[in-house]
Amino acid sequence: MTIRLISDPASLQELGAGLTGESRVAVDLEAAGFHRYSDRVCLLQVSSGDRDFVVDTLAVDPSDALRGPLESPTVTVLLHGGDYDLRLLDRDLDLHPVKLFDTQTAAALLGEPSLGLAALLKKYLDVHVSKKYQRADWAKRPLPDEMLDYAASDTRHLHELADLLTERLEGVGRRSWAEEESTLMEAL
């Protein structure tokens, strides 16, 4: 899958157009808090069903392009361990997703022993995701292609993982529990 780097105003239009009509988008953020005194959103990853966008938030402000898809009550925003990301979206980009599904919460409700994204992707999709850049300095530019691919991998498989976890939640009668947890997250 090709990663589209959004780093200039013209490419922001492509981002907005690429997400138009989607019923679900997967979102993740990379911040530089580990290497800086205070954290700051440095990169925002968004995946639709078949496209990966990586937005350089130090170069462009994607708020207007993302407001429609992320704040629409008809678009489900997929996250993994999204509490921190939601706080950063609010604080740094003034974005407030209104319909959420968190794969980490779903996995917890299913009693999964390992809730990390890498462990869940390995178990459910047999996808190996390196966590090599988990503590990288995301504020450094230019970002190498390997780091961009790493960032995109955090959202690339969330659609399929969410489908599998939702199916399992339904099987054990806990889908409504996940919906309740999502409603609580939306209120943050």
Side-chain angles (χ1 to χ4, degrees):
M1 189 177 294
T2 303
I3 300 168
R4 178 65 172 111
L5 177 62
I6 307 298
S7 59
D8 60 68
S11 60
L12 281 174
Q13 292 178 344
E14 180 184 342
L15 172 66
L19 298 177
T20 299
E22 294 292 335
S23 61
R24 295 188 309 177
V25 295
V27 174
D28 187 51
L29 302 169
E30 303 298 340
F34 189 72
H35 296 275
R36 304 285 187 273
Y37 178 71
S38 63
D39 58 356
R40 175 180 176 193
V41 174
C42 297
L43 216 58
L44 184 145
Q45 305 90 271
V46 182
S47 294
S48 65
D50 61 351
R51 298 177 80 181
D52 293 327
F53 296 97
V54 176
V55 182
D56 182 348
T57 57
L58 299 179
V60 294
D61 179 357
S63 301
D64 289 340
L66 293 174
R67 193 163 319 285
L70 295 189
E71 294 184 353
S72 170
T74 63
V75 178
T76 301
V77 176
L78 305 174
L79 303 160
H80 184 82
D83 290 347
Y84 180 67
D85 292 339
L86 290 171
R87 286 193 301 274
L88 290 178
L89 282 171
D90 174 44
R91 187 194 72 197
D92 292 359
L93 300 171
D94 194 31
L95 291 170
H96 310 93
V98 295
K99 186 176 178 188
L100 303 173
F101 183 86
D102 190 303
T103 53
Q104 187 176 59
T105 300
L109 292 171
L110 290 167
E112 287 295 336
S114 297
L115 299 178
L117 181 60
L120 294 171
L121 290 176
K122 180 68 177 152
K123 177 177 181 172
Y124 285 99
L125 303 175
D126 198 29
V127 170
H128 175 74
V129 177
S130 169
K131 292 317 239 175
K132 177 179 179 180
Y133 293 108
Q134 189 168 21
R135 299 217 184 259
D137 185 354
W138 292 99
K140 283 190 172 181
R141 296 296 184 269
L143 290 169
D145 288 343
E146 191 176 278
M147 284 180 73
L148 293 173
D149 188 55
Y150 167 89
S153 72
D154 281 348
T155 56
R156 179 176 293 139
H157 304 287
L158 281 185
H159 288 80
E160 191 176 0
L161 180 62
D163 289 342
L164 291 169
L165 294 174
T166 299
E167 185 178 304
R168 292 206 52 220
L169 286 167
E170 287 173 353
V172 296
R174 293 184 180 170
R175 182 175 181 167
S176 64
W177 295 11
E179 291 168 356
E180 287 176 32
E181 290 295 323
S182 293
T183 301
L184 291 172
M185 284 181 69
E186 292 160 10
L188 294 177

